[in-house]
Amino acid sequence: QQQVKQSPQSLIVQKGGISIINCAYENTAFDYFPWYQQFPGKGPALLIAIRPDVSEKKEGRFTISFNKSAKQFSLHIMDSQPGDSATYFCAASRGQFYFGTGTSLTVIP
Amino acid sequence: NAGVTQTPKFRVLKTGQSMTLLCAQDMNHEYMYWYRQDPGMGLRLIHYSVGEGTTAKGEVPDGYNVSRLKKQNFLLGLESAAPSQTSVYFCASSPLSRGVYNEQFFGPGTRLTVL
């Protein structure tokens, strides 16, 4: 049973466009929602994270939007660049971490 | 400061063989984790440790054992490897600050193939 559902599986965006990746969860006990970025052959690295007491967090071109009532959160990448091409994972945690299945993002010049 | 390192980087085993994957971190983190990553499945937690001498089961613990004899090391063992354990294995560590979860730092991964 997938604790965190992530969509889409893959995404192609033009340079300068907005990339949006969505995640949904069921367990209302989760209290930490990070996004990780992974390049081929590398381990995941934390990109941005949010706790459920805020609805939005922005760091540079990356924004997490969090909807507690809908049990959904999303990653927005503004002004997407070819260097953003990677796999992105959402996760939810309360002790243990549960990851989504990943989104392969390709930003074309 | 090397962060999280994993040994070996690649390994090929035959069914029934055993092996140990080593994870080391030099950040003095309390928490350590072992994940496996399979296509279309994301990262799944195998076992984790909240401190030296303590371990706990994660989402997919069957067929694996772990030990944390020293704070900086976390070992993952496969006693009798099976083809279903072909995967990329990631180790991670995280600090514990005032009981609040923090960023996980991942190692570079170990690619294991079981024939």
Side-chain angles (χ1 to χ4, degrees):
Chain A
Q1 182 182 353
Q2 194 73 27
Q3 295 271 355
V4 179
K5 296 182 179 178
Q6 183 173 346
S7 63
Q9 186 175 351
S10 63
L11 183 61
I12 300 174
V13 174
Q14 289 275 162
K15 178 183 175 180
I18 302 173
S19 304
I20 301 174
I21 305 170
N22 301 301
C23 284
Y25 63 97
E26 285 299 324
N27 189 344
T28 55
F30 289 141
D31 60 2
Y32 179 61
F33 301 88
W35 284 90
Y36 283 82
Q37 181 187 55
Q38 184 179 28
F39 293 103
K42 304 291 186 183
L46 180 68
L47 188 63
I48 187 171
I50 198 168
R51 298 193 190 274
D53 52 347
V54 297
S55 60
E56 185 175 283
K57 183 173 182 180
K58 185 176 181 179
E59 290 184 1
R61 296 184 294 110
F62 302 92
T63 300
I64 299 180
S65 297
F66 187 82
N67 186 330
K68 191 173 181 178
S69 61
K71 292 185 285 186
Q72 295 175 348
F73 58 110
S74 60
L75 175 70
H76 296 236
I77 306 175
M78 311 299 288
D79 187 25
S80 299
Q81 299 296 313
D84 296 331
S85 297
T87 300
Y88 293 81
F89 293 95
C90 62
S93 174
R94 184 170 179 87
Q96 286 193 31
F97 281 72
Y98 296 90
F99 285 79
T101 51
T103 295
S104 176
L105 171 65
T106 302
V107 181
I108 53 178
Chain B
N1 196 343
V4 180
T5 57
Q6 293 182 231
T7 308
K9 289 184 168 53
F10 303 94
R11 186 72 186 269
V12 179
L13 289 179
K14 294 181 180 178
T15 297
Q17 287 185 317
S18 64
M19 78 163 294
T20 300
L21 281 68
L22 170 64
C23 176
Q25 53 97 0
D26 60 2
M27 297 173 283
N28 201 34
H29 287 170
E30 290 82 4
Y31 282 59
M32 296 188 75
Y33 312 80
W34 275 109
Y35 292 91
R36 60 178 289 173
Q37 184 175 39
D38 303 291
M41 302 288 286
L43 289 143
R44 292 181 293 168
L45 182 65
I46 304 171
H47 286 279
Y48 64 103
S49 169
V50 301
E52 183 178 322
T54 68
T55 63
K57 293 180 180 180
E59 211 179 337
V60 288
D62 294 342
Y64 305 95
N65 56 75
V66 289
S67 64
R68 192 161 178 206
L69 300 179
K70 294 182 179 180
K71 187 177 183 179
Q72 64 268 34
N73 295 337
F74 195 28
L75 279 63
L76 177 70
L78 286 73
E79 289 187 349
S80 180
S84 61
Q85 294 178 304
T86 294
S87 186
V88 180
Y89 292 85
F90 286 101
C91 176
S93 70
S94 66
L96 182 64
S97 176
R98 299 190 303 276
V100 177
Y101 319 118
N102 287 284
E103 174 182 358
Q104 291 192 349
F105 293 81
F106 283 83
T110 294
R111 185 173 294 275
L112 174 66
T113 301
V114 183
L115 302 175

PDB file of all heavy atoms in Angstrom, chain B residues 20-56:
ATOM      1  N   THR B  20      27.663  -8.190   3.008  1.00  0.00           N
ATOM      2  CA  THR B  20      27.384  -7.078   3.909  1.00  0.00           C
ATOM      3  C   THR B  20      27.704  -5.775   3.213  1.00  0.00           C
ATOM      4  O   THR B  20      28.779  -5.629   2.611  1.00  0.00           O
ATOM      5  CB  THR B  20      28.219  -7.191   5.194  1.00  0.00           C
ATOM      6  OG1 THR B  20      27.903  -8.408   5.866  1.00  0.00           O
ATOM      7  CG2 THR B  20      27.926  -6.013   6.115  1.00  0.00           C
ATOM      8  N   LEU B  21      26.748  -4.838   3.274  1.00  0.00           N
ATOM      9  CA  LEU B  21      26.965  -3.491   2.755  1.00  0.00           C
ATOM     10  C   LEU B  21      27.310  -2.596   3.941  1.00  0.00           C
ATOM     11  O   LEU B  21      26.647  -2.635   4.981  1.00  0.00           O
ATOM     12  CB  LEU B  21      25.712  -2.950   2.071  1.00  0.00           C
ATOM     13  CG  LEU B  21      25.406  -3.436   0.647  1.00  0.00           C
ATOM     14  CD1 LEU B  21      25.040  -4.913   0.637  1.00  0.00           C
ATOM     15  CD2 LEU B  21      24.266  -2.617   0.049  1.00  0.00           C
ATOM     16  N   LEU B  22      28.328  -1.765   3.748  1.00  0.00           N
ATOM     17  CA  LEU B  22      28.780  -0.901   4.827  1.00  0.00           C
ATOM     18  C   LEU B  22      28.409   0.551   4.534  1.00  0.00           C
ATOM     19  O   LEU B  22      28.603   1.042   3.424  1.00  0.00           O
ATOM     20  CB  LEU B  22      30.290  -1.012   5.006  1.00  0.00           C
ATOM     21  CG  LEU B  22      30.948   0.001   5.951  1.00  0.00           C
ATOM     22  CD1 LEU B  22      30.431  -0.189   7.378  1.00  0.00           C
ATOM     23  CD2 LEU B  22      32.462  -0.103   5.900  1.00  0.00           C
ATOM     24  N   CYS B  23      27.866   1.218   5.540  1.00  0.00           N
ATOM     25  CA  CYS B  23      27.578   2.641   5.457  1.00  0.00           C
ATOM     26  C   CYS B  23      28.326   3.340   6.583  1.00  0.00           C
ATOM     27  O   CYS B  23      28.297   2.870   7.734  1.00  0.00           O
ATOM     28  CB  CYS B  23      26.084   2.890   5.585  1.00  0.00           C
ATOM     29  SG  CYS B  23      25.625   4.638   5.622  1.00  0.00           S
ATOM     30  N   ALA B  24      28.966   4.444   6.241  1.00  0.00           N
ATOM     31  CA  ALA B  24      29.674   5.219   7.257  1.00  0.00           C
ATOM     32  C   ALA B  24      29.339   6.691   7.096  1.00  0.00           C
ATOM     33  O   ALA B  24      29.222   7.186   5.974  1.00  0.00           O
ATOM     34  CB  ALA B  24      31.186   5.009   7.123  1.00  0.00           C
ATOM     35  N   GLN B  25      29.170   7.380   8.241  1.00  0.00           N
ATOM     36  CA  GLN B  25      28.914   8.826   8.201  1.00  0.00           C
ATOM     37  C   GLN B  25      29.806   9.510   9.230  1.00  0.00           C
ATOM     38  O   GLN B  25      30.033   8.999  10.321  1.00  0.00           O
ATOM     39  CB  GLN B  25      27.429   9.133   8.443  1.00  0.00           C
ATOM     40  CG  GLN B  25      26.827   8.531   9.705  1.00  0.00           C
ATOM     41  CD  GLN B  25      26.757   9.449  10.896  1.00  0.00           C
ATOM     42  OE1 GLN B  25      27.166  10.627  10.830  1.00  0.00           O
ATOM     43  NE2 GLN B  25      26.269   8.933  12.015  1.00  0.00           N
ATOM     44  N   ASP B  26      30.286  10.696   8.834  1.00  0.00           N
ATOM     45  CA  ASP B  26      31.213  11.429   9.710  1.00  0.00           C
ATOM     46  C   ASP B  26      30.593  12.723  10.215  1.00  0.00           C
ATOM     47  O   ASP B  26      31.299  13.673  10.556  1.00  0.00           O
ATOM     48  CB  ASP B  26      32.527  11.706   8.978  1.00  0.00           C
ATOM     49  CG  ASP B  26      32.356  12.535   7.713  1.00  0.00           C
ATOM     50  OD1 ASP B  26      31.204  12.947   7.411  1.00  0.00           O
ATOM     51  OD2 ASP B  26      33.360  12.757   7.014  1.00  0.00           O
ATOM     52  N   MET B  27      29.260  12.776  10.278  1.00  0.00           N
ATOM     53  CA  MET B  27      28.561  13.989  10.706  1.00  0.00           C
ATOM     54  C   MET B  27      27.992  13.858  12.114  1.00  0.00           C
ATOM     55  O   MET B  27      27.234  14.728  12.557  1.00  0.00           O
ATOM     56  CB  MET B  27      27.438  14.292   9.697  1.00  0.00           C
ATOM     57  CG  MET B  27      27.969  14.576   8.296  1.00  0.00           C
ATOM     58  SD  MET B  27      26.678  14.729   7.045  1.00  0.00           S
ATOM     59  CE  MET B  27      26.253  13.012   6.798  1.00  0.00           C
ATOM     60  N   ASN B  28      28.309  12.772  12.783  1.00  0.00           N
ATOM     61  CA  ASN B  28      27.850  12.542  14.152  1.00  0.00           C
ATOM     62  C   ASN B  28      26.316  12.504  14.249  1.00  0.00           C
ATOM     63  O   ASN B  28      25.730  12.922  15.248  1.00  0.00           O
ATOM     64  CB  ASN B  28      28.406  13.620  15.114  1.00  0.00           C
ATOM     65  CG  ASN B  28      28.387  13.159  16.553  1.00  0.00           C
ATOM     66  OD1 ASN B  28      28.583  11.972  16.851  1.00  0.00           O
ATOM     67  ND2 ASN B  28      28.136  14.069  17.465  1.00  0.00           N
ATOM     68  N   HIS B  29      25.682  11.987  13.190  1.00  0.00           N
ATOM     69  CA  HIS B  29      24.226  11.913  13.197  1.00  0.00           C
ATOM     70  C   HIS B  29      23.727  10.741  14.030  1.00  0.00           C
ATOM     71  O   HIS B  29      24.331   9.665  14.043  1.00  0.00           O
ATOM     72  CB  HIS B  29      23.710  11.760  11.759  1.00  0.00           C
ATOM     73  CG  HIS B  29      23.818  13.013  10.966  1.00  0.00           C
ATOM     74  ND1 HIS B  29      23.603  13.049   9.601  1.00  0.00           N
ATOM     75  CD2 HIS B  29      24.099  14.287  11.334  1.00  0.00           C
ATOM     76  CE1 HIS B  29      23.743  14.282   9.170  1.00  0.00           C
ATOM     77  NE2 HIS B  29      24.062  15.049  10.199  1.00  0.00           N
ATOM     78  N   GLU B  30      22.583  10.981  14.696  1.00  0.00           N
ATOM     79  CA  GLU B  30      22.013   9.922  15.514  1.00  0.00           C
ATOM     80  C   GLU B  30      21.291   8.872  14.670  1.00  0.00           C
ATOM     81  O   GLU B  30      21.359   7.691  14.937  1.00  0.00           O
ATOM     82  CB  GLU B  30      21.014  10.512  16.528  1.00  0.00           C
ATOM     83  CG  GLU B  30      21.656  11.338  17.639  1.00  0.00           C
ATOM     84  CD  GLU B  30      21.972  12.756  17.224  1.00  0.00           C
ATOM     85  OE1 GLU B  30      21.635  13.155  16.094  1.00  0.00           O
ATOM     86  OE2 GLU B  30      22.564  13.488  18.037  1.00  0.00           O
ATOM     87  N   TYR B  31      20.517   9.321  13.671  1.00  0.00           N
ATOM     88  CA  TYR B  31      19.686   8.423  12.893  1.00  0.00           C
ATOM     89  C   TYR B  31      20.430   7.939  11.652  1.00  0.00           C
ATOM     90  O   TYR B  31      21.110   8.703  10.976  1.00  0.00           O
ATOM     91  CB  TYR B  31      18.409   9.133  12.420  1.00  0.00           C
ATOM     92  CG  TYR B  31      17.334   9.278  13.467  1.00  0.00           C
ATOM     93  CD1 TYR B  31      17.554   9.960  14.652  1.00  0.00           C
ATOM     94  CD2 TYR B  31      16.072   8.750  13.241  1.00  0.00           C
ATOM     95  CE1 TYR B  31      16.548  10.095  15.595  1.00  0.00           C
ATOM     96  CE2 TYR B  31      15.056   8.881  14.175  1.00  0.00           C
ATOM     97  CZ  TYR B  31      15.299   9.569  15.349  1.00  0.00           C
ATOM     98  OH  TYR B  31      14.299   9.691  16.273  1.00  0.00           O
ATOM     99  N   MET B  32      20.235   6.662  11.326  1.00  0.00           N
ATOM    100  CA  MET B  32      20.746   6.103  10.072  1.00  0.00           C
ATOM    101  C   MET B  32      19.691   5.179   9.483  1.00  0.00           C
ATOM    102  O   MET B  32      18.901   4.572  10.210  1.00  0.00           O
ATOM    103  CB  MET B  32      22.074   5.372  10.283  1.00  0.00           C
ATOM    104  CG  MET B  32      23.206   6.312  10.737  1.00  0.00           C
ATOM    105  SD  MET B  32      24.832   5.542  10.772  1.00  0.00           S
ATOM    106  CE  MET B  32      25.231   5.469   9.008  1.00  0.00           C
ATOM    107  N   TYR B  33      19.694   5.087   8.144  1.00  0.00           N
ATOM    108  CA  TYR B  33      18.633   4.371   7.428  1.00  0.00           C
ATOM    109  C   TYR B  33      19.238   3.567   6.269  1.00  0.00           C
ATOM    110  O   TYR B  33      20.229   3.967   5.687  1.00  0.00           O
ATOM    111  CB  TYR B  33      17.632   5.355   6.812  1.00  0.00           C
ATOM    112  CG  TYR B  33      17.125   6.452   7.714  1.00  0.00           C
ATOM    113  CD1 TYR B  33      17.889   7.589   7.970  1.00  0.00           C
ATOM    114  CD2 TYR B  33      15.859   6.369   8.292  1.00  0.00           C
ATOM    115  CE1 TYR B  33      17.428   8.604   8.781  1.00  0.00           C
ATOM    116  CE2 TYR B  33      15.379   7.381   9.110  1.00  0.00           C
ATOM    117  CZ  TYR B  33      16.163   8.499   9.339  1.00  0.00           C
ATOM    118  OH  TYR B  33      15.703   9.503  10.150  1.00  0.00           O
ATOM    119  N   TRP B  34      18.574   2.478   5.934  1.00  0.00           N
ATOM    120  CA  TRP B  34      18.864   1.744   4.701  1.00  0.00           C
ATOM    121  C   TRP B  34      17.591   1.699   3.869  1.00  0.00           C
ATOM    122  O   TRP B  34      16.535   1.297   4.355  1.00  0.00           O
ATOM    123  CB  TRP B  34      19.325   0.312   4.975  1.00  0.00           C
ATOM    124  CG  TRP B  34      20.790   0.193   5.242  1.00  0.00           C
ATOM    125  CD1 TRP B  34      21.408  -0.079   6.418  1.00  0.00           C
ATOM    126  CD2 TRP B  34      21.843   0.307   4.272  1.00  0.00           C
ATOM    127  NE1 TRP B  34      22.769  -0.123   6.264  1.00  0.00           N
ATOM    128  CE2 TRP B  34      23.068   0.112   4.951  1.00  0.00           C
ATOM    129  CE3 TRP B  34      21.875   0.556   2.900  1.00  0.00           C
ATOM    130  CZ2 TRP B  34      24.294   0.157   4.314  1.00  0.00           C
ATOM    131  CZ3 TRP B  34      23.096   0.599   2.263  1.00  0.00           C
ATOM    132  CH2 TRP B  34      24.298   0.401   2.964  1.00  0.00           C
ATOM    133  N   TYR B  35      17.725   2.110   2.586  1.00  0.00           N
ATOM    134  CA  TYR B  35      16.626   2.078   1.631  1.00  0.00           C
ATOM    135  C   TYR B  35      17.034   1.218   0.435  1.00  0.00           C
ATOM    136  O   TYR B  35      18.197   1.069   0.123  1.00  0.00           O
ATOM    137  CB  TYR B  35      16.322   3.475   1.090  1.00  0.00           C
ATOM    138  CG  TYR B  35      15.750   4.453   2.073  1.00  0.00           C
ATOM    139  CD1 TYR B  35      16.567   5.294   2.830  1.00  0.00           C
ATOM    140  CD2 TYR B  35      14.368   4.571   2.226  1.00  0.00           C
ATOM    141  CE1 TYR B  35      16.027   6.205   3.715  1.00  0.00           C
ATOM    142  CE2 TYR B  35      13.819   5.486   3.109  1.00  0.00           C
ATOM    143  CZ  TYR B  35      14.656   6.304   3.840  1.00  0.00           C
ATOM    144  OH  TYR B  35      14.122   7.206   4.712  1.00  0.00           O
ATOM    145  N   ARG B  36      16.008   0.744  -0.261  1.00  0.00           N
ATOM    146  CA  ARG B  36      16.242   0.181  -1.579  1.00  0.00           C
ATOM    147  C   ARG B  36      15.424   0.980  -2.600  1.00  0.00           C
ATOM    148  O   ARG B  36      14.331   1.463  -2.281  1.00  0.00           O
ATOM    149  CB  ARG B  36      15.906  -1.309  -1.645  1.00  0.00           C
ATOM    150  CG  ARG B  36      14.487  -1.703  -1.328  1.00  0.00           C
ATOM    151  CD  ARG B  36      14.287  -3.214  -1.479  1.00  0.00           C
ATOM    152  NE  ARG B  36      14.327  -3.622  -2.883  1.00  0.00           N
ATOM    153  CZ  ARG B  36      14.307  -4.886  -3.309  1.00  0.00           C
ATOM    154  NH1 ARG B  36      14.257  -5.872  -2.420  1.00  0.00           N
ATOM    155  NH2 ARG B  36      14.339  -5.174  -4.597  1.00  0.00           N
ATOM    156  N   GLN B  37      15.974   1.124  -3.801  1.00  0.00           N
ATOM    157  CA  GLN B  37      15.301   1.894  -4.835  1.00  0.00           C
ATOM    158  C   GLN B  37      15.117   1.013  -6.052  1.00  0.00           C
ATOM    159  O   GLN B  37      16.100   0.517  -6.620  1.00  0.00           O
ATOM    160  CB  GLN B  37      16.102   3.149  -5.211  1.00  0.00           C
ATOM    161  CG  GLN B  37      15.388   4.035  -6.212  1.00  0.00           C
ATOM    162  CD  GLN B  37      16.136   5.334  -6.486  1.00  0.00           C
ATOM    163  OE1 GLN B  37      17.365   5.353  -6.563  1.00  0.00           O
ATOM    164  NE2 GLN B  37      15.398   6.416  -6.626  1.00  0.00           N
ATOM    165  N   ASP B  38      13.878   0.815  -6.428  1.00  0.00           N
ATOM    166  CA  ASP B  38      13.536   0.001  -7.579  1.00  0.00           C
ATOM    167  C   ASP B  38      12.725   0.831  -8.563  1.00  0.00           C
ATOM    168  O   ASP B  38      11.953   1.703  -8.149  1.00  0.00           O
ATOM    169  CB  ASP B  38      12.730  -1.233  -7.142  1.00  0.00           C
ATOM    170  CG  ASP B  38      13.485  -2.061  -6.115  1.00  0.00           C
ATOM    171  OD1 ASP B  38      14.500  -2.652  -6.511  1.00  0.00           O
ATOM    172  OD2 ASP B  38      13.076  -2.105  -4.943  1.00  0.00           O
ATOM    173  N   PRO B  39      12.855   0.570  -9.857  1.00  0.00           N
ATOM    174  CA  PRO B  39      12.110   1.349 -10.869  1.00  0.00           C
ATOM    175  C   PRO B  39      10.619   1.336 -10.587  1.00  0.00           C
ATOM    176  O   PRO B  39      10.019   0.282 -10.360  1.00  0.00           O
ATOM    177  CB  PRO B  39      12.444   0.611 -12.168  1.00  0.00           C
ATOM    178  CG  PRO B  39      13.751  -0.050 -11.917  1.00  0.00           C
ATOM    179  CD  PRO B  39      13.724  -0.452 -10.463  1.00  0.00           C
ATOM    180  N   GLY B  40      10.017   2.525 -10.602  1.00  0.00           N
ATOM    181  CA  GLY B  40       8.585   2.642 -10.394  1.00  0.00           C
ATOM    182  C   GLY B  40       8.121   2.462  -8.962  1.00  0.00           C
ATOM    183  O   GLY B  40       6.922   2.541  -8.690  1.00  0.00           O
ATOM    184  N   MET B  41       9.076   2.210  -8.047  1.00  0.00           N
ATOM    185  CA  MET B  41       8.696   1.951  -6.649  1.00  0.00           C
ATOM    186  C   MET B  41       9.186   3.050  -5.709  1.00  0.00           C
ATOM    187  O   MET B  41       8.848   3.075  -4.539  1.00  0.00           O
ATOM    188  CB  MET B  41       9.273   0.617  -6.169  1.00  0.00           C
ATOM    189  CG  MET B  41       8.830  -0.562  -6.999  1.00  0.00           C
ATOM    190  SD  MET B  41       7.110  -0.988  -6.719  1.00  0.00           S
ATOM    191  CE  MET B  41       7.218  -1.744  -5.116  1.00  0.00           C
ATOM    192  N   GLY B  42      10.014   3.930  -6.192  1.00  0.00           N
ATOM    193  CA  GLY B  42      10.569   4.948  -5.307  1.00  0.00           C
ATOM    194  C   GLY B  42      11.550   4.336  -4.322  1.00  0.00           C
ATOM    195  O   GLY B  42      12.126   3.267  -4.557  1.00  0.00           O
ATOM    196  N   LEU B  43      11.726   5.010  -3.206  1.00  0.00           N
ATOM    197  CA  LEU B  43      12.618   4.535  -2.149  1.00  0.00           C
ATOM    198  C   LEU B  43      11.779   3.866  -1.071  1.00  0.00           C
ATOM    199  O   LEU B  43      10.786   4.433  -0.608  1.00  0.00           O
ATOM    200  CB  LEU B  43      13.382   5.695  -1.530  1.00  0.00           C
ATOM    201  CG  LEU B  43      14.451   6.302  -2.420  1.00  0.00           C
ATOM    202  CD1 LEU B  43      14.506   7.805  -2.225  1.00  0.00           C
ATOM    203  CD2 LEU B  43      15.797   5.693  -2.099  1.00  0.00           C
ATOM    204  N   ARG B  44      12.194   2.695  -0.656  1.00  0.00           N
ATOM    205  CA  ARG B  44      11.483   1.991   0.404  1.00  0.00           C
ATOM    206  C   ARG B  44      12.437   1.685   1.546  1.00  0.00           C
ATOM    207  O   ARG B  44      13.532   1.171   1.331  1.00  0.00           O
ATOM    208  CB  ARG B  44      10.834   0.714  -0.134  1.00  0.00           C
ATOM    209  CG  ARG B  44       9.691   0.972  -1.115  1.00  0.00           C
ATOM    210  CD  ARG B  44       9.075  -0.324  -1.598  1.00  0.00           C
ATOM    211  NE  ARG B  44      10.010  -1.086  -2.418  1.00  0.00           N
ATOM    212  CZ  ARG B  44       9.814  -2.351  -2.776  1.00  0.00           C
ATOM    213  NH1 ARG B  44       8.737  -3.000  -2.363  1.00  0.00           N
ATOM    214  NH2 ARG B  44      10.687  -2.975  -3.545  1.00  0.00           N
ATOM    215  N   LEU B  45      11.976   1.960   2.765  1.00  0.00           N
ATOM    216  CA  LEU B  45      12.824   1.815   3.937  1.00  0.00           C
ATOM    217  C   LEU B  45      12.939   0.346   4.336  1.00  0.00           C
ATOM    218  O   LEU B  45      11.934  -0.339   4.519  1.00  0.00           O
ATOM    219  CB  LEU B  45      12.239   2.627   5.096  1.00  0.00           C
ATOM    220  CG  LEU B  45      13.022   2.641   6.387  1.00  0.00           C
ATOM    221  CD1 LEU B  45      14.375   3.325   6.201  1.00  0.00           C
ATOM    222  CD2 LEU B  45      12.222   3.356   7.484  1.00  0.00           C
ATOM    223  N   ILE B  46      14.178  -0.115   4.515  1.00  0.00           N
ATOM    224  CA  ILE B  46      14.415  -1.511   4.892  1.00  0.00           C
ATOM    225  C   ILE B  46      14.514  -1.626   6.423  1.00  0.00           C
ATOM    226  O   ILE B  46      13.740  -2.336   7.056  1.00  0.00           O
ATOM    227  CB  ILE B  46      15.705  -2.044   4.241  1.00  0.00           C
ATOM    228  CG1 ILE B  46      15.645  -1.889   2.723  1.00  0.00           C
ATOM    229  CG2 ILE B  46      15.924  -3.510   4.614  1.00  0.00           C
ATOM    230  CD1 ILE B  46      16.968  -2.200   2.028  1.00  0.00           C
ATOM    231  N   HIS B  47      15.505  -0.962   6.986  1.00  0.00           N
ATOM    232  CA  HIS B  47      15.701  -0.897   8.431  1.00  0.00           C
ATOM    233  C   HIS B  47      16.230   0.491   8.764  1.00  0.00           C
ATOM    234  O   HIS B  47      16.777   1.181   7.903  1.00  0.00           O
ATOM    235  CB  HIS B  47      16.724  -1.929   8.902  1.00  0.00           C
ATOM    236  CG  HIS B  47      16.255  -3.343   8.920  1.00  0.00           C
ATOM    237  ND1 HIS B  47      15.492  -3.873   9.939  1.00  0.00           N
ATOM    238  CD2 HIS B  47      16.477  -4.350   8.044  1.00  0.00           C
ATOM    239  CE1 HIS B  47      15.253  -5.162   9.680  1.00  0.00           C
ATOM    240  NE2 HIS B  47      15.847  -5.468   8.543  1.00  0.00           N
ATOM    241  N   TYR B  48      16.109   0.869  10.028  1.00  0.00           N
ATOM    242  CA  TYR B  48      16.698   2.112  10.446  1.00  0.00           C
ATOM    243  C   TYR B  48      17.194   2.001  11.888  1.00  0.00           C
ATOM    244  O   TYR B  48      16.898   1.013  12.585  1.00  0.00           O
ATOM    245  CB  TYR B  48      15.723   3.289  10.292  1.00  0.00           C
ATOM    246  CG  TYR B  48      14.490   3.238  11.154  1.00  0.00           C
ATOM    247  CD1 TYR B  48      14.384   4.019  12.301  1.00  0.00           C
ATOM    248  CD2 TYR B  48      13.405   2.434  10.807  1.00  0.00           C
ATOM    249  CE1 TYR B  48      13.246   3.988  13.083  1.00  0.00           C
ATOM    250  CE2 TYR B  48      12.265   2.395  11.583  1.00  0.00           C
ATOM    251  CZ  TYR B  48      12.182   3.183  12.712  1.00  0.00           C
ATOM    252  OH  TYR B  48      11.045   3.139  13.486  1.00  0.00           O
ATOM    253  N   SER B  49      17.946   3.008  12.306  1.00  0.00           N
ATOM    254  CA  SER B  49      18.526   3.003  13.648  1.00  0.00           C
ATOM    255  C   SER B  49      18.439   4.401  14.238  1.00  0.00           C
ATOM    256  O   SER B  49      18.758   5.383  13.570  1.00  0.00           O
ATOM    257  CB  SER B  49      19.986   2.557  13.586  1.00  0.00           C
ATOM    258  OG  SER B  49      20.629   2.796  14.818  1.00  0.00           O
ATOM    259  N   VAL B  50      17.999   4.463  15.482  1.00  0.00           N
ATOM    260  CA  VAL B  50      17.892   5.774  16.146  1.00  0.00           C
ATOM    261  C   VAL B  50      19.075   6.039  17.061  1.00  0.00           C
ATOM    262  O   VAL B  50      19.112   7.064  17.755  1.00  0.00           O
ATOM    263  CB  VAL B  50      16.563   5.913  16.916  1.00  0.00           C
ATOM    264  CG1 VAL B  50      15.386   5.746  15.966  1.00  0.00           C
ATOM    265  CG2 VAL B  50      16.487   4.896  18.040  1.00  0.00           C
ATOM    266  N   GLY B  51      20.020   5.127  17.076  1.00  0.00           N
ATOM    267  CA  GLY B  51      21.210   5.344  17.890  1.00  0.00           C
ATOM    268  C   GLY B  51      22.052   4.094  17.941  1.00  0.00           C
ATOM    269  O   GLY B  51      21.610   2.995  17.571  1.00  0.00           O
ATOM    270  N   GLU B  52      23.275   4.246  18.455  1.00  0.00           N
ATOM    271  CA  GLU B  52      24.194   3.115  18.566  1.00  0.00           C
ATOM    272  C   GLU B  52      23.551   1.974  19.344  1.00  0.00           C
ATOM    273  O   GLU B  52      22.982   2.184  20.411  1.00  0.00           O
ATOM    274  CB  GLU B  52      25.450   3.597  19.277  1.00  0.00           C
ATOM    275  CG  GLU B  52      26.551   2.568  19.417  1.00  0.00           C
ATOM    276  CD  GLU B  52      27.778   3.153  20.103  1.00  0.00           C
ATOM    277  OE1 GLU B  52      28.099   4.330  19.842  1.00  0.00           O
ATOM    278  OE2 GLU B  52      28.404   2.442  20.906  1.00  0.00           O
ATOM    279  N   GLY B  53      23.622   0.779  18.761  1.00  0.00           N
ATOM    280  CA  GLY B  53      23.106  -0.402  19.432  1.00  0.00           C
ATOM    281  C   GLY B  53      21.617  -0.635  19.278  1.00  0.00           C
ATOM    282  O   GLY B  53      21.083  -1.620  19.789  1.00  0.00           O
ATOM    283  N   THR B  54      20.908   0.245  18.567  1.00  0.00           N
ATOM    284  CA  THR B  54      19.462   0.080  18.369  1.00  0.00           C
ATOM    285  C   THR B  54      19.133   0.031  16.890  1.00  0.00           C
ATOM    286  O   THR B  54      19.691   0.788  16.094  1.00  0.00           O
ATOM    287  CB  THR B  54      18.660   1.237  18.992  1.00  0.00           C
ATOM    288  OG1 THR B  54      18.916   2.422  18.256  1.00  0.00           O
ATOM    289  CG2 THR B  54      19.036   1.449  20.440  1.00  0.00           C
ATOM    290  N   THR B  55      18.214  -0.868  16.511  1.00  0.00           N
ATOM    291  CA  THR B  55      17.739  -0.953  15.137  1.00  0.00           C
ATOM    292  C   THR B  55      16.242  -1.225  15.145  1.00  0.00           C
ATOM    293  O   THR B  55      15.692  -1.702  16.149  1.00  0.00           O
ATOM    294  CB  THR B  55      18.445  -2.068  14.337  1.00  0.00           C
ATOM    295  OG1 THR B  55      18.150  -3.336  14.936  1.00  0.00           O
ATOM    296  CG2 THR B  55      19.952  -1.852  14.300  1.00  0.00           C
ATOM    297  N   ALA B  56      15.579  -0.915  14.020  1.00  0.00           N
ATOM    298  CA  ALA B  56      14.147  -1.145  13.904  1.00  0.00           C
ATOM    299  C   ALA B  56      13.816  -1.478  12.456  1.00  0.00           C
ATOM    300  O   ALA B  56      14.548  -1.096  11.536  1.00  0.00           O
ATOM    301  CB  ALA B  56      13.368   0.095  14.356  1.00  0.00           C
TER     302      ALA B  56
END
